Amino acid sequence: MSVHSLAASRIADPVQQAKVHLAASLRLAVLHELDEGIDNHFTVAVPGQRDRYLILPFGLHWSEARASDLAVFDEAGRTIEGQGVVELSARCIHAPIHRICGASVVLHTHQTWALALNMLEDNRLLPTSQTAAFFDGHIVYDDGYNGLADTLAEGERLAGLLGTDGHVVFMKNHGVLVVGDTVAQAYRRLYRLERVCRAQLLAMGSGRPLQVLPPEVVARVKAPNPDNTHSLAERERLFFEAMMRVLDRELPGYAD
């Protein structure tokens, strides 16, 4: 049985906490149908260490992820701690984005609804709902699929598109990439992204025009409210703690 999620979310050792949260996010991706078996990749920069990244060794199913399984690799592709060899595209996509953008967490998937939107000629996510409005201005679009990401130059190109203000990359004909300062933040973005992509595609399927929110309403939705009882960081933390409680019931063992 895993450590109770509330306790697991406040582990004193930041490296161990990063491992527990990364393992939890991988298992959550299975529950939320964001995974592709053993493919795709989630990485976390090792706290306090430069050029060191946590990853689930290639070959393990995401539902099997445990904190103790996670390996540490560097941009040269060497396994510094743990077992296994880092998968080539994970190294080539993730390491440059961590290094260039300063991202602590990088999540890359081929999740169904986001990929479906990225298969369209016009793949823009529109601010047609309250949740979608939060993504407005934070998505960058990579409109030219050039094949497998198998060089560090490709990761550096993606990092250049993302910059320091982007949260999401829409990778045309490929998938999505999400970054964050914490696992909780990045995973919440990934989860909500899939839901708004699904909602937009379902609405488009009706064949009727979409009602896009005007810019002034989008700005109002995104603006912090001083009367809000919970900060954004607290919402992200509470979201992830709630999701880990779901894991404790449905898919325990991530903190082992």
Side-chain angles (χ1 to χ4, degrees):
M1 180 63 68
S2 68
V3 176
H4 190 276
S5 60
L6 286 176
S9 67
R10 297 184 175 92
I11 297 169
D13 177 8
V15 175
Q16 184 60 23
Q17 177 173 281
K19 290 180 177 181
V20 170
H21 284 194
L22 178 54
S25 69
L26 289 159
R27 293 198 184 204
L28 284 170
V30 175
L31 288 184
H32 297 145
E33 298 183 344
L34 308 180
D35 71 309
E36 201 168 54
I38 65 171
D39 293 309
N40 304 170
H41 4 84
F42 288 3
T43 55
V44 175
V46 178
Q49 298 185 40
R50 186 178 179 183
D51 186 28
R52 299 289 185 272
Y53 313 111
L54 289 165
I55 194 169
L56 184 70
F58 187 67
L60 290 177
H61 193 273
W62 288 16
S63 66
E64 300 175 301
R66 300 180 303 170
S68 58
D69 291 326
L70 298 174
V72 177
F73 73 98
D74 65 11
E75 191 163 337
R78 296 172 297 193
T79 301
I80 308 300
E81 298 177 20
Q83 303 296 318
V85 177
V86 64
E87 195 264 340
L88 179 60
S89 62
R91 170 198 169 205
C92 292
I93 293 174
H94 289 239
I97 291 174
H98 281 294
R99 169 171 52 84
I100 296 171
C101 300
S104 296
V105 183
V106 180
L107 312 180
H108 170 56
T109 71
H110 301 167
Q111 56 199 55
T112 304
W113 292 95
L115 174 57
L117 183 55
N118 275 295
M119 292 164 62
L120 301 180
E121 183 175 349
D122 182 359
N123 66 333
R124 271 38 180 178
L125 181 67
L126 302 174
T128 51
S129 70
Q130 176 175 285
T131 304
F134 285 104
F135 287 98
D136 189 63
H138 296 299
I139 298 176
V140 298
Y141 293 88
D142 181 21
D143 287 332
Y145 177 70
N146 295 313
L148 297 176
D150 54 7
T151 66
L152 290 173
E154 175 63 8
E156 290 168 349
R157 185 185 70 83
L158 291 170
L161 288 174
L162 188 62
T164 55
D165 297 324
H167 298 167
V168 179
V169 181
F170 266 31
M171 306 164 79
K172 195 71 163 285
N173 306 113
H174 184 174
V176 292
L177 186 145
V178 173
V179 300
D181 296 327
T182 65
V183 174
Q185 181 184 74
Y187 190 80
R188 183 173 182 261
R189 287 172 176 169
L190 193 73
Y191 173 84
R192 285 155 62 94
L193 181 68
E194 182 74 341
R195 295 179 70 85
V196 294
C197 288
R198 179 174 66 180
Q200 178 170 316
L201 286 165
L202 288 172
M204 291 168 66
S206 72
R208 304 184 66 177
L210 299 180
Q211 180 65 59
V212 178
L213 298 175
E216 62 271 19
V217 173
V218 172
R220 223 165 29 242
V221 168
K222 293 169 62 177
N225 186 333
D227 295 327
N228 202 322
T229 54
H230 298 90
S231 68
L232 178 56
E234 188 175 9
R235 287 175 180 271
E236 292 162 352
R237 176 181 61 79
L238 291 171
F239 164 85
F240 201 66
E241 288 180 350
M243 289 299 181
M244 288 196 290
R245 291 196 296 274
V246 173
L247 279 183
D248 288 340
R249 295 193 303 270
E250 303 294 334
L251 202 57
Y254 61 90
D256 294 347

